[in-house]
Amino acid sequence: MNLRRLFLCPLVFALTSLATFSFAQTAPPIPDGKPHTFVVQGSQFLLDGKPFRIISGEMHYPRIPREYWRARLKMARAMGLNAITTYVFWNEHEPTPGVYDFSGNNDVAEFIREAQQEGLWVILRPGPYVCAEWDFGGLPAWLLKDPTTSVRSTDPKFMQPATRWLVRLGRELAPLQTGNGGPILLVQVENEYGGFGNDHVYMEQIKQAIVNAGFTKAQLYTADSAGSVPRGSLPELPVGINFGGSPGEAQREFAALKRLRPDNPMFNSEFWDGWFDHWGDRHAHTNGAAQAANLAWMLEQGASVSIYMFHGGTSFGWMNGANSDDRRKDYQPDVSSYDYDAALDESGRPTPKFFAFRDAIAKATGITPPPVPEVVAPIAIAPFRLTEAVSLWDSLPKPIESDHPLTMEEVGQNYGWILYRTQISGSSPSGSLTIHDYARIYLAQNADSGAVVDRRVNGAIAIESFVHGPADTTTPFEVLVENTGRINYSHQLLHERKGIVDYTPPQTSAPTKWQMYPLPMNNVESMHFKKAVCTGPCFYRGHFRVTKPADTFLDTSKLGKGQLWVNGHAMGRFWKIGPQKTLYIPGPWLKKGQNEVIIFDVDGTPSPQLEGLTKPNLGD
């Protein structure tokens, strides 16, 4: 998703010139398992030779529990949509080079089949880069192990694994194209590349990789903001344009597209109906009335549109991304909730925006949508304490040793935390560390120095500030670092290695040795918990009982900073700075009877307390 509205253009032609054809007010065709043709002819999309308007909404399969996919798709139909749009997240499917996962929540083919079964066409966005406020824009972290790799370029160190990935994805999804009897109408080439580069050779290579992967029986296209179309598009493919819902924005953006591509279909490939949240900022609220007016205007003109997001969901686990500006080179990590102020909220419940959009679609199409499905009410969970604990310091793995600090990617770690240990001398007159992204500094015997490195504010520390004692003494020096999410937009994603990313050694004659303890935290259930008092960086475990499983929202307002798991599912992050103060717990991931909660809190206090609320607290 484009994070900036880069190009606004005056309205220089009559609005009536935009609409070149009309649609009959009858129910549009739905995917029926038979082969269909979907092409662009002039300024029209044609399905089996007849004009066809796409009214889509974006949902991302890994952000929705698999058990809820069908319920969300039914909601899409109930709002009047005839299609859904989804990215494909490379880093979810290839966690290590050549090892693929299309199981469980990663079964994107099943997600698309269920869309077809619910009468919805599909717009597929395979990337390989997707942005989406998702860690590293969906690119695998292991691409960064070699710091010379240039992603989103013709660099063979990027193109070879990207091509291999697209071919593997084609085995899953090419059979589901419209020409094969599936629901996939459109397949996007790359994603908003004009906001990143201007290399048409690279874009042609990505297009060819998608074709070679078997995507030849659906219509290919590119997507950018209108001002970036010349840089990110290909002359032989139609373009979609991405923009938001401020008053008059649709008119201005389509005016710009008309000047650039007079014969291009009116296609708003991302209509931003909300926004996302950063840690330490306010929760996003957007102008629903203006968005509904923009949507109504586009539909009146016969435009095709994909609402971003129809349903945002949750960036479970460690998968939230981060924003950055090329000019400021700042760092703004996203929260775990991807509620997005969308038509469906984070837990899949319709909002006032849902009904405003539903009315606009019904009025423009003359078609009464299906009834809105009922949703089971969330449940409250009485306060409970996590009375079992184990200290991080008692849970460290075998270290990796080096004469200089290694990044997470260099030790083969994608997500989580990493601990660095070394000795600093009392005679050290200088030395510095640059850290991505958040760190706590500990000195002798794991004593918290009180020093915090927060990349949002300060990304470097001077080692000499921790020197205490005579010149002939040394002090244990520990740096506990969290990867709080890789940048997913702008050129800053090229530099997104995590941990200690730059090191200037102290000016001493003796070389400094380092130990690295990778802490991916992907097996916390097997830790040795016991009834114990634990403070500082600690893991805690507790239990609660449920009579009838349903959604709930665990209140994290009394916690510090860390991660939370329920019954083995990594739910997301918490941080006392907000705005998010609850974590969404899907009902299908709970059990009747006893349920287990584990948290890691770098600011842990004994026996932390949680409770389940019936409403989220996202910082409203």
Side-chain angles (χ1 to χ4, degrees), residues 461-480:
I461 56 170
I463 294 177
E464 62 265 25
S465 62
F466 299 96
V467 173
H468 303 285
D472 60 349
T473 62
T474 59
T475 301
F477 182 69
E478 298 177 315
V479 186
L480 180 60

Side-chain angles (χ1 to χ4, degrees), residues 330-346:
D330 53 354
Y331 177 74
Q332 299 173 295
D334 302 327
V335 303
S336 291
S337 170
Y338 202 56
D339 176 86
Y340 207 80
D341 194 31
L344 288 188
D345 70 12
E346 182 179 11

Side-chain angles (χ1 to χ4, degrees), residues 150-220:
S150 179
V151 300
R152 303 185 77 187
S153 81
T154 58
D155 179 358
K157 295 189 295 296
F158 174 72
M159 282 302 303
Q160 289 176 4
T163 299
R164 180 187 69 210
W165 152 244
L166 290 169
V167 168
R168 179 62 184 85
L169 179 64
R171 288 167 48 189
E172 299 289 323
L173 301 186
L176 297 174
Q177 295 171 98
T178 307
N180 293 324
I184 299 173
L185 295 171
L186 286 162
V187 178
Q188 184 176 302
V189 176
E190 235 273 357
N191 183 54
E192 297 179 332
Y193 182 70
F196 179 85
N198 190 27
D199 186 348
H200 292 85
V201 174
Y202 164 70
M203 285 294 290
E204 288 286 359
Q205 288 187 7
I206 291 293
K207 173 196 166 187
Q208 191 59 50
I210 289 173
V211 169
N212 292 344
F215 292 103
T216 58
K217 294 187 178 181
Q219 175 65 54
L220 303 185

Side-chain angles (χ1 to χ4, degrees), residues 89-112:
F89 298 87
W90 181 7
N91 55 9
E92 277 287 315
H93 295 282
E94 193 177 0
T96 57
V99 177
Y100 299 99
D101 180 6
F102 290 96
S103 64
N105 245 81
N106 286 344
D107 192 350
V108 60
E110 175 60 20
F111 179 71
I112 291 172

Side-chain angles (χ1 to χ4, degrees), residues 47 117 129-130 162 168 176 181 203 253 255 303 312 363 402 406 434 498 607:
L47 179 62
Q117 291 159 12
Y129 161 82
V130 300
R168 179 62 184 85
L176 297 174
M203 285 294 290
E253 291 296 308
K363 181 179 179 181
S402 174
L406 303 174
T434 301
K498 298 299 185 180
S607 300

Side-chain angles (χ1 to χ4, degrees), residues 245-258:
S246 62
E249 191 162 358
Q251 292 94 322
R252 292 190 294 269
E253 291 296 308
F254 276 121
L257 176 65
K258 184 74 173 178

